[in-house]
Amino acid sequence: MKNMLLNPITNLKGVGSETEEVLNDVGIYTIHDLLEYFPYRYEDNSLKDLEDVKHEERVTVEGRVHSEPSLQFYGKKRSRLTFRLLVGRYLLSVVCFNRPYFKNKLSIDATVTVTGKWDKHRQTITVSNLLFGPKQEISGIEPVYSVKGKLTVKGIRKFVSIALKDYLEGVTELLPDHLLNKYKLMTRKEALKTIHIPEEKEDLKQARRRFVYEEFLLFQLKMQTLRKVQREQSKGVVHQFSKEKHKIFLDSLPFPLTNAQTRVVNEILSDMTSPYRMNRLLQGDVGSGKTVVSAIAIYAAFLSGYQSALMVPTEILAEQHAESLFQLFEPFGVSVALLTSSVKGKKRRDLLERVANNEVNLLIGTHALIQDDIMFHKLGLVITDEQHRFGVEQRRLLREKGEQTDVLFMTATPIPRTLAITAFGEMDVSIIDELPAGRKTIETYWVKPDMLERILAFIEKEVSKGRQAYVICPLIEESDKLDVQNALDVHGMLTQYYRGRYKVGLMHGRLSSDEKDEVMRSFSQNEVHILVSTTVVEVGVNVPNATTMVIYDAERFGLSQLHQLRGRVGRGSDQSYCILLADPKSETGKERMKIMTETNDGFVLSERDLELRGPGDFFGKKQSGVPVFKVADMVHDYRALEVARQDAVELVGSMEFWKENQYEALRNYLTNSGVLDGEKLD
Ligand code: ADP
Ligand code: MG
């Protein structure tokens, strides 16, 4: 039976070679393809109370003709027929264009069913379809398919109904009974029939629910299988180290770990000590303390005799990490080195030699780290910070640096969980969902640009207390095309304004790394009080004494970027502030500003961002790896996604799944989609 579904579409009654071509054009080659060609929307032709119908909405009503129809002609062919129709307690007008022959068929008191656009103000329906007699007892919900060329919606409806009649019996159930029962899902046959020819709205909902779950489950099964195969085939370094020595390091930290930190540390260490390769994504909001987590992992690798590499997206961040990790590791004999693009010539050669000789235990750097000439002696752990800033390709190269190297990706851009488990579905995910105690909420305000005077005064008030401020501009210098603030002008303006009182620094991507170093150094030592900058300070930069963040033209930034920028303040114990200077024109722009003022929680924010932007846009560009679902919607159906993922994890982890008959259809699916070679997992 199953094979019959894979027969070419010409096997279907009424489909000849001409129709075959137009069907091929929309990707339908087999009967199976046709049955899986779902409507993208439905037209609701069921009767409704006019009270509930919106202006200009399409509606179907049944009523009695209440007045003699009047007919007017314009020119030869164009005409307009009007009559009054009594629908329940409504008396409304009906207009039919260019159908003069209706006149003689409409007699007073006759029952008719009309479909058309409802003009609420004029109480008029403009007819697209008129039926003489009461509403037929057929389904009021009609499927609309996407069509192209000669293909019509009516045509597809016809073919689908033939296919359902002749082939539905051959459709196999993919889901095992216990899952169907657990979620009270329609069978695949029932759901297929309903999605094409729904009788009731409720049925349609149920059919959709079944396919949403199926789609998510299949996708998650692929991901979980891939993960299992990858894991079992990728032998990793087994890090063996003295727990006592490791504990001494933990005890030396200036603060106790949060519960969330402790949990993710355990997850990471258990990966590192396992014989499999770690492939883990660590998510934690800005300021949640990922650096120390990475340090703990690096120290474990060090104790077990391996080198580590820490890769970050900007030189500023590399330097900052190098500095803080150097301090942390100094007493423990871990040698830390920094490799950036400004390390050149002999200095670079010397450093690479030390790396190759195992004299460097931790190498920190930007993407310079993945260049070919860097050879490690024994690389056991690779960590990338703010990993969303690296492309997929860079991530791959990095993973290939050491064959069995454990890999940890850290990101402070909270990825909505739904996306994390789809785009990174084959990775293990750890989440730090807790901030260190005592953190204050950053008070966030959205103000119009004409409030500048007051903001300058506000900055002054904070700076006079010994605090510091950032002022972020979208551009470095003036642009003819864009009417936005640039860092050079703002720097000039602020220098003038605070002259003789406070020092204003300037930071942007065109400074040399020496210049950048100098700016950052003077800012972190409070020699510069106000730092005007482009978004180069966006990630990671840590100056706890800075309490005010002003962002010019904030509407030009995405939510996650604004959140990152805001995360530069609120890093110490003082109350911090974020001021968004913006005058957004679009609704989503306004919405973004509002969301920023409403929450400090990166995960909440990222979920809202996903809603505003949609999954395709969330990561920007094509790299996203976010799959396209046919029925399911990751944003709205996220609960189903979570559930399906959990089920997939359990299935793939169970012995029964790989053996029992009831899972055969799912196993076949995995084999056909190439994630499973059939034999490998036995
Ligand atoms: P992020 O996750 O954004 O990279 P960091 O690692 O830079 O965060 O940590 C932010 C700040 O919080 C740092 O100053 C760090 O020393 C501090 N910190 C980290 N963990 C804790 C903790 N458990 N208790 C108190 N402070 C902590
Ligand atoms: Mg960080």
Side-chain angles (χ1 to χ4, degrees), residues 286-287 289-291 317 321 385-386 410 412 539-541 568 571:
V286 186
K290 293 184 296 298
T291 313
L317 198 53
H321 271 315
D385 197 9
E386 311 299 346
M410 305 201 292
V539 288
V541 168
R568 295 317 102 216
R571 305 178 78 82

Side-chain angles (χ1 to χ4, degrees), residues 101-240:
Y101 42 85
F102 280 174
K103 185 170 170 27
N104 295 331
K105 292 186 171 182
L106 290 163
S107 48
I108 293 209
D109 267 353
T111 298
V112 291
T113 305
V114 298
T115 300
K117 195 153 78 173
W118 173 229
D119 184 328
K120 198 161 192 126
H121 310 316
R122 297 210 168 102
Q123 299 278 294
T124 300
I125 294 180
T126 305
V127 166
S128 58
N129 197 20
L130 191 149
L131 195 81
F132 298 95
K135 173 120 175 65
Q136 302 279 315
E137 280 309 312
I138 50 158
S139 156
I141 312 167
E142 295 189 323
V144 182
Y145 298 87
S146 110
V147 288
K148 190 157 101 179
K150 284 189 188 151
L151 194 60
T152 62
V153 172
K154 274 200 177 132
I156 297 223
R157 282 184 193 160
K158 189 181 79 192
F159 299 134
V160 165
S161 74
I162 298 173
L164 284 170
K165 199 153 86 4
D166 293 353
Y167 293 90
L168 192 63
E169 272 316 300
V171 169
T172 36
E173 181 56 72
L174 281 167
L175 303 177
D177 286 346
H178 71 88
L179 288 178
L180 288 177
N181 292 337
K182 182 169 168 195
Y183 302 117
K184 310 227 171 351
L185 297 174
M186 275 187 179
T187 62
R188 197 161 211 284
K189 276 182 203 158
E190 239 181 307
L192 264 181
K193 187 158 173 247
T194 308
I195 205 109
H196 288 294
I197 308 178
E199 285 185 4
E200 297 286 339
K201 274 201 172 149
E202 182 54 31
D203 295 344
L204 186 57
K205 244 164 93 184
Q206 294 302 328
R208 200 184 158 273
R209 194 167 68 88
R210 154 143 191 153
F211 284 118
V212 166
Y213 178 79
E214 178 187 302
E215 267 191 303
F216 283 151
L217 185 77
L218 292 179
F219 176 75
Q220 288 295 338
L221 275 178
K222 276 201 285 198
M223 286 299 166
Q224 297 308 321
T225 305
L226 211 60
R227 180 168 149 204
K228 183 178 157 84
V229 173
Q230 272 178 9
R231 230 175 130 80
E232 295 182 355
Q233 289 177 352
S234 65
K235 294 267 176 294
V237 174
V238 181
H239 291 275
Q240 285 170 314

Side-chain angles (χ1 to χ4, degrees), residues 68 77 162:
E68 208 54 63
K77 289 200 178 131
I162 298 173

